[in-house]
Amino acid sequence: MSSSPDPRGELADAISRALDGRAIGALTRLSGGASRETWRFEADGEPLILQRQRAGDTRDMEVEASVLRAAAAAGVPVPHLLASGRFENGARYMIQSWVDGETIARKILRDDDFASARDSLVGQFATALAAVHSIPVDDVPGLPTTDQVAQYRQSLDDLNAQLQQSHPAFELAFRWLEANRPASARRTVVHGDFRLGNVMVGPEGLRAVLDWELAHIGDPMEDLGWLCVRAWRFGSDLPVAGVGNYDALLAAYESATGSPADPEALLWWEVLGTVKWGIMCMLQASAHLLGFSRSHELAAIGRRVCENEYDILLALEGRWSSLGVS
Amino acid sequence: MNVERSPHDVPSAAQLVESVREWLQNDVLTSTTGRVQFHSRVAINVLAMVERELAMGSRQSIEHASRLARLGVASDVELASAIRAGSLDDRIDEVVAAVRASVVDKLSVANPTYMRRDDQSS
């Protein structure tokens, strides 16, 4: 028999210590991204989720844990956070309850099981976002407050230089974004990646808001605009997450917050979100082109950048007068 | 492609790519599952894109160059800089129309059905 240490056994022991000695079983890795790993396991038979941060991730998972606690307190449906902290090897972790359901957007948008959920989701998303945006900012110290336009302007410049290309449509978009910033006075907690794929859905509708690692402080309309970016409609004709219309989203959000929501601010953030997704497509293609991860799938995503350019030009049709004298 | 000036025999580059795409569609897709089948489907889409670029690319290059020339710039890099600097703001509608025409050309190769029907096969 080998006497070498079993890394999975070591992880199970570490989880057990984090959970006051509960018996850990059925430890299964679900995904491993660049910044974190996700594991499913059982503690005394109860299904739970472990997220473990990898070395090199610049974010602090403990900030995300504090956002999750604050979100739960604000009434956002989220998995229950059982424990968070550092393992003895220094890695940050969070242990959350397992929420059953579906995250795959195309199933939620097409399967008969979710027909009734599709009717409810816009209202439930609006209510959940209103709750996210009600979290007292002082309860969650450490969240970044980066200006999104400046951040993605820099990303585009870096990628253009690396890939030796340029995108006149994105330059138009940045000019328009700079000239038309919404006059929003509200600064709240923003989820930062609220869309199908990052929510757990059951046949009755929204069960839990997941994936809080991009949470930050900003204009709450950012979450609504991102939810309407065409990539997150997954082929559906309906603008809000592929399940509803703008008016329904704005009306439900207004009724949940008790204050008016500006459709122009929603459009502004949808345009910025579309630019962001276009830049993320460039980033994925660059992983292939620069040799970090050779893959024809990543290469092909480089030719999806123009989908976002097209969407921007459609969204801003007739709205260019703020830039010129034509 | 300018077939008359090419020294190559048939099949043309487009026909070669087409033959590989058909093999992926008819044999590989049906005999694979899961991740490999997904990546076969991606490969089919990539080759179909290359076929469209071989068919339309030359005409698109000529038209793109003339759109840029009308705006007094020599490349997308120069156009991007001019937009950023505001030096074409007095011709913003022309600029937007030119950028839109280029984007429609790009999507005509990359993913034509993504566009509104009135922009397809323009």
Side-chain angles (χ1 to χ4, degrees):
Chain A
M1 297 293 283
S2 164
S3 61
S4 66
D6 167 16
R8 189 163 301 208
E10 282 181 17
L11 180 58
D13 290 345
I15 295 170
S16 180
R17 282 193 292 279
L19 292 175
D20 302 326
R22 288 168 73 177
I24 305 305
L27 186 58
T28 313
R29 186 155 139 182
L30 297 184
S31 67
S35 59
R36 60 177 59 196
E37 296 166 2
T38 303
W39 299 73
R40 185 186 163 142
F41 65 97
E42 289 177 7
D44 295 335
E46 179 189 5
L48 299 173
I49 286 285
L50 166 79
Q51 293 196 295
R52 179 165 65 160
Q53 201 163 20
R54 286 181 195 267
D57 187 358
T58 52
R59 285 184 287 261
D60 183 347
M61 197 178 260
E62 198 53 38
V63 173
E64 185 181 336
S66 74
V67 176
L68 261 172
R69 285 190 197 95
V76 185
V78 285
H80 176 56
L81 184 68
L82 282 86
S84 69
R86 266 188 210 282
F87 288 135
E88 277 160 20
N89 68 5
R92 288 277 193 198
Y93 70 87
M94 294 190 296
I95 295 169
Q96 295 163 265
S97 61
W98 168 266
V99 180
D100 214 15
E102 185 58 74
T103 59
I104 298 172
R106 287 177 190 280
K107 290 189 181 171
I108 296 166
L109 289 177
R110 288 168 184 75
D111 285 5
D112 291 343
D113 289 351
F114 298 101
S116 145
R118 286 193 289 274
D119 292 336
S120 312
L121 281 175
V122 169
Q124 292 171 337
F125 285 172
T127 307
L129 283 174
V132 172
H133 302 152
S134 76
I135 296 171
V137 170
D138 292 342
D139 288 2
V140 281
L143 284 181
T145 57
T146 323
D147 179 72
Q148 299 271 305
V149 174
Q151 182 186 340
Y152 284 92
R153 172 77 262 177
Q154 187 63 51
S155 302
L156 180 62
D157 287 345
D158 294 347
L159 281 161
N160 279 340
Q162 283 174 334
L163 303 178
Q164 302 278 299
Q165 59 172 3
S166 65
H167 293 86
F170 290 153
E171 298 302 332
L172 283 169
F174 273 114
R175 287 288 310 285
W176 185 86
L177 289 165
E178 295 281 12
N180 293 279
R181 278 183 188 264
S184 168
R186 287 185 75 204
R187 289 180 62 73
T188 70
V189 174
V190 174
H191 178 279
D193 200 8
F194 191 97
R195 58 177 176 84
L196 291 186
N198 290 339
V199 289
M200 190 62 81
V201 173
E204 77 291 355
L206 177 64
R207 286 184 176 168
V209 181
L210 314 173
D211 296 303
W212 290 79
E213 66 260 35
L214 296 179
H216 57 270
I217 303 295
D219 182 341
M221 291 307 281
E222 178 186 342
D223 277 331
L224 279 71
W226 184 242
L227 187 60
C228 298
V229 169
R230 184 162 163 192
W232 309 135
R233 303 174 197 171
F234 298 94
S236 161
D237 289 332
L238 295 168
V240 182
V243 290
N245 289 310
Y246 292 111
D247 288 348
L249 175 68
L250 288 165
Y253 186 77
E254 285 180 351
S255 115
T257 57
S259 47
D262 178 8
E264 291 297 307
L266 174 70
L267 171 79
W268 191 90
W269 281 106
E270 182 183 327
V271 170
L272 177 57
T274 307
V275 174
K276 273 170 66 172
W277 181 241
I279 290 169
M280 289 175 191
C281 289
M282 290 172 70
L283 198 62
Q284 296 195 54
S286 78
H288 166 82
L289 291 167
L290 304 176
F292 304 127
S293 177
R294 296 290 289 176
S295 144
H296 72 294
E297 184 189 3
L298 292 176
I301 292 173
R303 293 293 187 103
R304 297 194 60 181
V305 175
C306 59
E307 295 176 359
N308 299 282
E309 296 177 311
Y310 184 76
D311 291 334
I312 288 162
L313 293 169
L314 285 191
L316 296 182
E317 230 160 44
R319 291 173 173 269
W320 296 105
S321 55
S322 54
L323 299 195
V325 293
S326 61
Chain B
M1 289 276 99
N2 201 331
V3 176
E4 304 90 75
R5 276 192 239 156
S6 165
H8 301 291
D9 297 325
V10 289
S12 67
Q15 288 167 327
L16 288 170
V17 173
E18 178 187 41
S19 71
V20 178
R21 176 176 55 79
E22 287 175 351
W23 168 72
L24 284 167
Q25 261 166 341
N26 299 331
D27 294 349
V28 178
L29 210 54
T30 50
S31 58
T32 52
T33 56
R35 198 168 164 74
V36 176
Q37 188 185 55
F38 170 73
H39 281 135
S40 304
R41 198 165 277 129
V42 174
I44 289 163
N45 288 338
V46 166
L47 295 184
M49 195 188 301
V50 172
E51 290 176 68
R52 288 190 292 271
E53 187 163 331
L54 288 170
M56 295 188 269
S58 300
R59 175 183 63 76
Q60 291 184 337
S61 295
I62 293 164
E63 290 174 2
H64 187 56
S66 78
R67 279 193 298 266
L68 293 172
R70 279 198 295 278
L71 293 170
V73 293
S75 65
D76 269 348
V77 174
E78 280 188 31
L79 177 57
S81 302
I83 291 168
R84 193 168 180 175
S87 57
L88 285 170
D89 281 2
D90 56 343
R91 299 171 70 186
I92 195 72
D93 285 349
E94 274 179 86
V95 170
V96 170
V99 171
R100 192 181 197 288
S102 302
V103 169
V104 166
D105 276 358
K106 290 199 271 188
L107 268 175
S108 300
V109 164
N111 186 4
T113 59
Y114 190 87
M115 292 186 285
R116 293 196 310 215
R117 202 169 295 275
D118 54 331
D119 283 325
Q120 291 181 26
S121 66
S122 61

